[in-house]
Amino acid sequence: MPDRVVDFYDRHPISEAQVLAAVARRRGGVEGALTAEDLFEFDQDHYGGLDAVDTLARRAGVIARSRVLDVCAGLAGPARFLASRRGCRVVGVELHAGRAAGGARLTRRVGLAGRVSVVRGDATTLPFAAGAFDACLSQEAFLHIERKPSVLAECHRVLAPGGRLAFTDWVARPGLGDRAREQLREWMAATSLQTLEGYRALLGRVGFGAVEAEDLSDAWRQVLRARLRMFRAMRADTVARLGEARFGEYDRLYAFFVGLVEAGRLGGGRFTATR
Ligand SMILES: C[S@@+](CC[C@H](N)C(=O)[O-])C[C@H]1O[C@@H](n2cnc3c(N)ncnc32)[C@H](O)[C@@H]1O
């Protein structure tokens, strides 16, 4: 199953090259010094933008001396945001080799390598010692992981006692049928989806306490509507960059996905728990 995830992110529109191209368009070039702030508009691959990262960090109690692990870090946008705004050290672990390397290059480029490192690895077998972190965060990534008990147990293992896990993910809601699940698996590498209550139970089962589960479906519905509108408004630009076929592929995929969210069959959840 990780192969399907890697394949999906091989073709994903958010990449190191795309981030730098977007910054270049905005600034009229990428020569000279770049800061983490220059990238934030383009390097976050989740819903709710920087506010969403900030909320997770608050829920996880992240402060300047926290040792933070970002699980499934993507291009390390959230990791750079936390390190630059909160002054903490962040390690990002990312499955996709190109994204891990791209995330590390972007981090060096903005001068944050002293505080942010990106490690290529699988969230179900984290390459870190027990108790190495004070906070584990993750955004919109566990949907790609079939063995959810493993990833949650690994977060529990690498947290110090009293450490906090805070993550957001898509959740299955009533009426999400087998066919829609199969399409989500095929098209978006969503290998398995938990429900809000399913996650709550799993977190307890792997040893977490003070578990909280919050339904974000209404907020995400607004975000997704806006994203679909924006994607379609940028049709000419996207076709020029990726071609008509890729635009069409993403458009169909997006419309299907947003349709499930509109119908209340798919939603989002935010979870916090204490080791
Ligand atoms: C939607 S992106 C989110 C990236 C980042 N959290 C952000 O918000 O910008 C999901 C990321 O999870 C990574 N991923 C998926 N399965 C993984 C696994 N088993 N271990 C580590 N990373 C994984 C993907 O390669 C992808 O970069």
Side-chain angles (χ1 to χ4, degrees), residues 2 5-6 8-9 12 43-47 53 70-78 93-96 99 121-124 138-145:
V5 176
V6 169
F8 179 73
Y9 283 99
H12 198 276
D43 66 356
Q44 312 284 315
D45 187 5
H46 54 258
Y47 307 127
V53 191
D70 187 357
V71 185
C72 309
L75 292 167
V93 64
E94 167 57 43
L95 180 74
H96 188 280
R99 289 195 132 203
D122 189 325
T124 59
S138 187
Q139 291 174 279
E140 282 74 292
F142 292 171
L143 67 137
H144 296 306
I145 301 177

Side-chain angles (χ1 to χ4, degrees), residues 119-144:
V119 174
R120 190 191 168 208
D122 189 325
T124 59
T125 50
L126 289 172
F128 308 110
F133 297 97
D134 304 303
C136 275
L137 307 180
S138 187
Q139 291 174 279
E140 282 74 292
F142 292 171
L143 67 137
H144 296 306

Side-chain angles (χ1 to χ4, degrees), residues 134-136 142 148-167 199-212 271-275:
D134 304 303
C136 275
F142 292 171
K148 293 200 183 3
S150 303
V151 64
L152 298 179
E154 278 294 85
C155 290
H156 188 268
R157 181 183 67 77
V158 301
L159 279 171
R164 301 270 292 160
L165 167 66
F167 68 96
Y199 258 136
R200 194 197 291 275
L202 272 183
L203 284 161
R205 217 172 296 148
V206 302
F208 280 104
V211 175
E212 284 172 42
F271 305 87
T272 49
T274 303
R275 158 90 157 89

